[in-house]
Amino acid sequence: MNMKQTFFALQKKLGFSASFVLTMGVTIGVFLAVAVLYYVTLLQPLSYQKQTNLFVLESKIQGHPRAPKVSMYPYPVVTDIYKHQTHLDSVAIVTYGDDILFSLPSKPTVNLAFATPEYFQLLDVEYELGTGLSSENTLESSTPEAVISYQLWQDKFNSNPDILGEKVMLDSVSYTIIGVTSEDFIEPQLYEVGLKTDVFLPWPFNSVPERARNSWSNFAPNLFVLSYKSNDSPVSFIESQLTSQVNERWKQEVIGRKSFEGMSLKMELKPLKDVVIGDGRDIYFVMLLGGIGLLLIASTNVLNLLISRLSEQSRSLAIRAALGANKWHLVKHLYSEVFTLMFASLVVSLLVASLLFSVIRGEMQLVFPRAQEVSVNGFTILIASLTAFILSILLTLLPSLSINYKKLKSVVQGSGKGSGIQVSAKARKFALIFEVFIASVISIFSIMYLWSALAVINAPTHFKIDDVTQVQLTYSSGDGITEEEFTSVIEQIQGELLSMAEVESVSNSSSPFNGFSGRSVTKVVNDERFTVRSKYIDDEYFTIIDQQLSAGRTFSATEVKEGALVAVINESFSESFGGPNSAINSLISMRDEQYQIVGVVKDIHLPKVEGQEFRIYRPAPEKNSNFIVQLKPGMTLEPQSILNLIDRVNPRFTLYKMTELKSLYNQATFFEIVTVVISTLLLVVILFLCAVGLYGVISYGVNLRSVEIGTKLAIGSSRLKMKLAIVKENSIHFAIGFLSSALIIGYLIWKQHITEFVVSVFISSFVVSSAALLAVVVCASYLPINNLLRKNILQIIKGE
Amino acid sequence: MDNFVVELKDICKKFELEHMQTDALKNINLQIKKGEYLSISGPSGCGKSTLLSILGMLDAPSSGEYLLNGKNVAELSDTEGARVRNKEIGFIFQSFNLIDEINVFDNIALPLSYRDNKPSNAEIKQKVEECIELVGLSSRLLHYPKQLSGGQQQRVSIARALVTNPSILLVDEATGNLDSKSGDAVMEVFSNLNQQGTTICAVTHDTRYMDHASRQLKLLDGVFWQNEEIRQAI
Ligand SMILES: Nc1ncnc2c1ncn2[C@@H]1O[C@H](COP(=O)(O)OP(=O)(O)OP(=O)(O)O)[C@@H](O)[C@H]1O
Ligand SMILES: [Mg+2]
């Protein structure tokens, strides 16, 4: 093996070398990204020393037909577990929120975690500076201390080494910074994927309102119990002990309340890793399959390239054989080229992978829970090298099968009597079927994912998201504000907003994407119980988002002002009353108050909410700091003008967030948008690679058969017949490859949960993929024969 | 009998091409002694290249026995065959068959790189320089084949054939593609080599150079003829 010679030879074959390196580099890079993502997310242990012993204690509501599947706690249950449980070795409780950091001039919104001191011990947090929250903090009394994240320290405090002891001002409390977490600390994202805490504060400072803190019936999804369990206590035992302990207390508190009869809480210990990963393990597997498929198709294409290159080199190989090179020497010669190119591909692949990793860590951190942990490191390089090495061996050995050594030797003497390098018809047939098979597996899968994601994205919301913006304010000063003052400021701001030229109308409500909370409701007539999503709104709400009424009326301004006990429910809920019209005037009770149903509105559909939820809208009894603003068509709202407006009204208020409903919608469907982008890209790439590969194999075969084809033409067969014969022949290979892949996928789907939706998605993916691939196959078989048939018969027979 | 470098017994070679059969060689018997300079001549298509291919182990006979240095080559595996071809045979092709992608030095050194125990770089360098000097092209070592004239290319291919010190040099129409001046120079090289003890079997249809050889044979339609027989036949 002579590297210098190899290098020189490849330099002269730039097209070949570039195709090889680009194809392999990009596909190995993509494969690397999905393989590492798969490994890091599903297999790699969490980065905490005690990770195998860390569990999240979840609370599932039992004995209720419409209970949510996620873990939900009433606030006092969490604190009760923290104070009184004895079965787990250590417990930390944590909840999340966000707020404006007023002590900084830029007034950034920061993510907050409110935790008990054990949180830092359980996760073995290390610190760049200082320490974690001191263990003197209890649920009753806490000093206002804060631990900030490395990121925040870097971004907002310029990595100030003297930060300890400085104050941060959040929600009118001034906290002393006592620690900065180390750069390597990766917090478990318990509440929302991609949500990274900037400031850790003691639990008692959390933003749960006083009323909810004491409510045993108000279930919240953002309360978490993190626990350490030693190895010798079995999970099921602890679960059952805790379940009975928690229920005993909880039932005592809600006793006599009709809505909770027959309900109980079930405590489940879920390994922290499972909680962090969440559902959707399948997606990693499917992506890995996609990566492998891509790699296989790309390798088949490169194999094609290598065989053509080999045919080109047949004279030089024959000379070498004549001079005493045995087959092994020839294989080594091949290997030196493949190895060199593969090395270049390896470098390209690492670049591609690091690019993809930065996209995953950045744009896609909301989709992949352990996105922060993927990077080009020793492990990545090892996988990349191993993949490149194995491929380089396969890509040497497989083409070398086409060398007929005995024939090759004799080639040097004569000229043009066969080349000694030929791929058997069987191998070509196999390659065709293989490419079609892989391409159809990937295209069926990607179209299925594409379809499902598009279905989510395109599902009508039944309310308006264009030209509506949500404006959220916050109150910024240290000293309190009276209810009246607050109401008057909000009213003034609402008036100012309405007088803006861009604005059509304003509602003092939050958008349909937020502001709903779970409530228990009973029908007064028969005590029938329901779990509903409840939201406070004002009289403008339905008009602004254009949510249609199906019966009755909406609220009047007076009803809103007085906080009248009237309600509007959605159509789904009205079914329980026998339809929209019968629901009107029915009475329902919530928290010991009775509401009269005055109207029924059409159902809304929020992305990813499965089935229809029962919804109830009530007039907001007091003003709140959220607005939805309907803009005049084509107008936009500038944050600065809102800031100025608020400042004019009352400088103690400021703009917290301003978001178009359109972008709230996009945030809610972000996962689907990512899915659409990835699967479309994959589909295009796979069809392209498949087309290139099939063209290569088919034109190789057609040229080999030029004598046969020429002879047939000479004895009177028509050109059209020849074309049809070739296309037909390859369509059979297509059919075999495609149908076998469809059967396998069909079987896989059939073995899993099979719903009407899945079947319809599968069938449409099947149809679309088959059409796309058939088109590819037809083109890839038509072009080579067409090119050949353009020559005259004599040229065809001579194979010129 | 051990004295023979080459011994062919009843060698036949048939080519089968789509229902058509060509008998390129018919019952060839031939012995070449060590140090001999054998010249085989005959018209185009009589089977000279076919015979040389069999002698050079580039092709196998359809029937008959070929002993090289007393060993039956039919019994050798592909790998052993490659080793013997590398070590014992120096082949000079009608069309030079140099590899265009590598330079003259690397072309000449190529057979050495297929040795079981590959010589050191220094040894290779010395050997290559020795051989290039024999053909008088020392100044062209770093040129590429395309940059040389036909005669120069042929001399490079001779140097390449010599680099392994083969037992026998097989020459196929060495002067066929050359003008008479270059041809003379090449033939001069063979005469010198033979005088230094190299066994040579050369094939040509050019009768001018036949006198250089110590023995001459004529091939006609795959059969050897003595000179008298030819005259009678004609
Ligand atoms: N691979 C082959 N397949 C079929 N026939 C062949 C093959 N090689 C040689 N022949 C036939 O065998 C006969 C001898 O061919 P060969 O090449 O040995 O002739 P030659 O004496 O070397 O001619 P020239 O002086 O033109 O080089 C010819 O009739 C040729 O057509
Ligand atoms: Mg010849």
Side-chain angles (χ1 to χ4, degrees), chain A residues 572-584:
Chain A
S572 290
F573 191 21
S574 78
E575 297 306 323
S576 325
F577 297 83
N581 288 312
S582 348
I584 302 295

Side-chain angles (χ1 to χ4, degrees), chain A residues 42 142 189 191 259 297 318 333 364 383 420 425 732 735 787:
Chain A
L42 298 183
S142 268
Q189 295 167 357
Y191 186 36
S259 344
I297 283 224
H333 174 73
M364 301 209 184
I383 299 222
I732 293 170
N787 284 343

Side-chain angles (χ1 to χ4, degrees), chain A residues 244-541:
Chain A
S244 55
Q245 185 185 328
V246 164
N247 276 297
E248 197 178 315
R249 181 73 207 273
W250 183 73
K251 285 190 172 147
Q252 215 175 357
E253 295 290 341
V254 298
I255 201 159
R257 291 174 61 175
K258 280 247 161 57
S259 344
F260 298 101
E261 258 168 36
M263 246 169 79
S264 64
L265 303 180
K266 184 166 183 286
M267 296 292 120
E268 287 175 5
L269 273 179
K270 224 172 158 188
L272 177 60
K273 195 171 144 194
D274 293 356
V275 175
V276 168
I277 299 169
D279 322 324
R281 283 158 183 260
D282 287 358
I283 190 82
Y284 299 98
F285 186 64
V286 170
M287 288 200 309
L288 184 64
L289 277 187
I292 293 174
L294 209 57
L295 202 56
L296 285 175
I297 283 224
S299 306
T300 319
N301 287 357
V302 167
L303 195 60
N304 264 327
L305 279 180
L306 284 169
I307 288 171
S308 313
R309 164 92 182 124
L310 206 55
S311 312
E312 214 177 79
Q313 285 180 299
S314 66
R315 198 181 83 95
S316 124
L317 289 175
I319 296 171
R320 287 167 193 269
L323 296 178
N326 58 35
K327 196 158 180 185
W328 175 235
H329 287 127
L330 299 184
V331 171
K332 254 175 32 189
H333 174 73
L334 269 185
Y335 185 71
S336 69
E337 274 198 17
V338 174
F339 182 83
T340 310
L341 291 171
M342 205 46 115
F343 188 80
S345 311
L346 179 69
V347 175
V348 173
S349 78
L350 287 172
L351 289 175
V352 170
S354 75
L355 189 82
L356 290 174
F357 286 158
S358 69
V359 172
I360 289 173
R361 281 197 304 266
E363 279 74 16
M364 301 209 184
Q365 57 165 315
L366 297 173
V367 178
F368 301 118
R370 300 182 71 182
Q372 297 318 306
E373 296 172 62
V374 298
S375 64
V376 175
N377 52 21
F379 177 73
T380 315
I381 293 173
L382 182 76
I383 299 222
S385 315
L386 218 63
T387 311
F389 180 67
I390 292 172
L391 281 176
S392 68
I393 289 184
L394 285 179
L395 288 177
T396 305
L397 291 184
L398 289 176
S400 70
L401 290 180
S402 70
I403 300 177
N404 181 338
Y405 185 72
K406 281 210 167 63
K407 199 166 170 198
L408 190 64
K409 283 181 304 177
S410 62
V411 167
V412 268
Q413 269 293 69
S415 61
K417 291 167 200 152
S419 76
I421 288 168
Q422 205 179 92
V423 186
S424 73
K426 231 191 224 163
R428 276 179 279 136
K429 209 181 274 180
F430 177 78
L432 285 176
I433 295 176
F434 182 72
E435 286 229 7
V436 172
F437 175 79
I438 300 286
S440 44
V441 168
I442 295 182
S443 68
I444 292 178
F445 263 122
S446 20
I447 296 177
M448 280 178 72
Y449 273 87
L450 182 68
W451 233 243
S452 318
L454 283 177
V456 172
I457 294 174
N458 292 330
T461 50
H462 301 297
F463 62 87
K464 208 170 90 163
I465 55 174
D466 296 314
D467 295 326
V468 182
T469 297
Q470 172 169 257
V471 175
Q472 295 171 288
L473 312 183
T474 190
Y475 174 68
S476 71
S477 179
D479 39 84
I481 182 167
T482 64
E483 185 78 38
E484 293 79 46
E485 202 182 337
F486 182 81
T487 306
S488 109
V489 171
I490 294 294
E491 274 169 356
Q492 280 180 56
I493 291 176
Q494 184 164 1
E496 293 278 330
L497 279 172
L498 199 55
S499 66
M500 289 176 79
E502 300 93 331
V503 175
E504 182 80 45
S505 55
V506 180
S507 159
N508 180 216
S509 321
S510 55
S511 84
F513 292 98
N514 30 32
F516 282 101
S517 55
R519 285 285 183 281
S520 212
V521 167
T522 45
K523 245 194 229 176
V524 171
V525 256
N526 58 2
D527 279 341
E528 199 182 338
R529 175 162 51 82
F530 304 94
T531 301
V532 301
R533 311 280 299 152
S534 159
K535 181 179 173 74
Y536 286 119
I537 56 170
D538 70 0
D539 49 311
E540 297 282 359
Y541 178 81

Side-chain angles (χ1 to χ4, degrees), chain B residues 103-224:
Chain B
N103 65 21
V104 167
F105 182 95
D106 290 332
N107 261 295
I108 297 174
L110 200 56
L112 294 176
S113 70
Y114 299 133
R115 282 269 150 112
D116 284 338
N117 27 23
K118 205 180 148 191
S120 73
N121 284 345
E123 281 171 305
I124 292 179
K125 188 162 183 277
Q126 190 198 341
K127 197 75 205 151
V128 170
E129 276 165 2
E130 230 173 85
C131 293
I132 197 81
E133 212 173 300
L134 280 177
V135 297
L137 275 177
S138 298
S139 59
R140 299 283 192 275
L141 266 182
L142 296 180
H143 284 56
Y144 282 85
K146 287 271 162 67
Q147 300 166 332
L148 301 179
S149 75
Q152 288 169 327
Q153 288 190 45
Q154 190 60 293
R155 270 140 69 192
V156 172
S157 92
I158 294 169
R160 181 179 64 185
L162 293 173
V163 80
T164 55
N165 290 332
S167 319
I168 185 164
L169 212 53
L170 302 175
V171 187
D172 192 356
E173 218 80 70
T175 55
N177 287 321
L178 306 179
D179 61 84
S180 60
K181 193 164 155 256
S182 312
D184 290 348
V186 167
M187 292 322 287
E188 191 63 34
V189 172
F190 289 137
S191 297
N192 290 339
L193 284 171
N194 182 242
Q195 272 155 33
Q196 288 160 32
T198 309
T199 312
I200 298 178
C201 174
V203 148
T204 177
H205 63 251
D206 192 339
T207 43
R208 276 192 301 151
Y209 299 119
M210 288 181 58
D211 306 340
H212 289 77
S214 52
R215 180 155 69 115
Q216 292 141 17
L217 285 176
K218 280 227 154 87
L219 194 62
L220 215 62
D221 269 345
V223 183
F224 280 129

